């Protein structure tokens, strides 16, 4: 639980700091400025959130799934998987950031959702009885807000889920980290 609690504390500190720093979401969120040298965004955007409801939901789910997976994987492995696959999720999200920019739309991806969905993918692989339910949940949290007119990085959810599932497949099949 140490790693999960640490991640939650880091998210809370970043959320509070962003509240007091002007334009912090644009500076630390994942957006078109990445292509102009703001490379830190692939990490920092995982700790930025759009509002109190956004961080509260993400941290509740991180607590729920993080504590389970941290016990299963160990604190160090859990932390590394969360960060590395979260960063990889953000790198893949850059395709959507760039594509939207070419259409004249500037988006700013913030939140821990992509990394948290990695955790969903891992659980889905190791608990096949609940895999369909977890995937359905990913679809609902990804597309229901869009139907309500709420902008959401649905692709981060799907990419994170599939990266977590694929990592688990590789770990199970080849015994990798």
């Amino acid at each position: 639980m140490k790693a999960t609690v640490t991640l939650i504390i880091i998210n809370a500190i970043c959320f509070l700091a962003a509240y007091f720093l002007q334009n912090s979401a644009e500076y630390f969120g994942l957006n078109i400025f990445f292509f102009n040298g703001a490379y830190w965004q692939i990490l920092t955007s995982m700790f930025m959130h759009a509002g109190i409801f956004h961080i509260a939901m993400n941290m509740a789910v991180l607590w729920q799934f993080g504590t389970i997976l941290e016990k299963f994987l160990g604190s160090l492995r859990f932390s590394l998987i969360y960060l590395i696959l979260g960063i990889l999720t953000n790198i893949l999200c850059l395709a959507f950031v760039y594509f939207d920019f070419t259409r004249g739309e500037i988006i700013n991806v913030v939140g821990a959702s992509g990394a948290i969905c990695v955790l969903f993918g891992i659980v889905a692989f190791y608990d096949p009885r609940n895999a369909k339910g977890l995937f359905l949940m990913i679809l609902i949290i990804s597309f229901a807000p869009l139907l309500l007119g709420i902008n959401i990085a649905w692709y981060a959810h799907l990419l994170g889920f599939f990266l977590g599932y694929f990592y688990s497949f590789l770990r199970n099949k080849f015994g990798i980290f």
Side-chain angles (χ1 to χ4, degrees):
M1 284 192 341
K2 291 178 188 177
T4 302
V5 170
T6 301
L7 287 169
I8 290 170
I9 290 170
I10 292 169
N11 273 280
I13 290 169
C14 291
F15 180 74
L16 292 173
Y19 181 78
F20 294 106
L21 296 173
Q22 189 175 17
N23 298 325
S24 60
E26 290 79 18
Y27 190 72
F28 295 111
L30 186 63
N31 53 53
I32 197 64
F33 298 123
F34 173 87
F35 297 102
N36 291 328
Y39 303 124
W40 59 85
Q41 291 180 345
I42 60 170
L43 173 65
T44 58
S45 63
M46 292 176 9
F47 299 99
M48 302 298 296
H49 288 85
I52 192 74
F53 181 72
H54 188 208
I55 191 170
M57 289 297 296
N58 276 348
M59 295 307 100
V61 174
L62 176 57
W63 172 258
Q64 181 181 11
F65 284 85
T67 55
I68 294 166
L69 285 174
E70 187 175 351
K71 288 176 189 171
F72 176 67
L73 298 167
S75 295
L76 179 60
R77 182 178 289 145
F78 169 78
S79 299
L80 290 173
I81 289 167
Y82 182 89
L83 292 171
I84 292 169
L85 293 183
I87 288 169
L88 185 54
T89 299
N90 281 345
I91 289 170
L92 295 173
C93 286
L94 285 169
F96 292 90
V97 170
Y98 186 78
F99 176 73
D100 282 346
F101 180 73
T102 63
R103 296 182 316 133
E105 187 177 344
I106 296 177
I107 59 171
N108 190 40
V109 179
V110 294
S113 302
I116 291 170
C117 288
V118 165
L119 305 181
F120 290 163
I122 294 170
V123 171
F125 182 84
Y126 287 106
D127 186 5
R129 293 171 297 153
N130 289 312
K132 288 180 186 175
L134 285 167
F135 186 66
L136 179 61
M137 183 178 67
I138 293 294
L139 293 176
I140 291 169
I141 66 171
S142 297
F143 297 109
L146 293 175
L147 296 174
L148 299 171
I150 300 169
N151 288 334
I152 191 164
W154 57 268
Y155 41 86
H157 298 165
L158 296 175
L159 290 167
F161 182 86
F162 287 116
L163 283 174
Y165 197 90
F166 185 64
Y167 158 79
S168 299
F169 170 79
L170 292 176
R171 182 174 188 260
N172 191 56
K173 182 94 170 159
F174 302 110
I176 65 164
F177 180 77

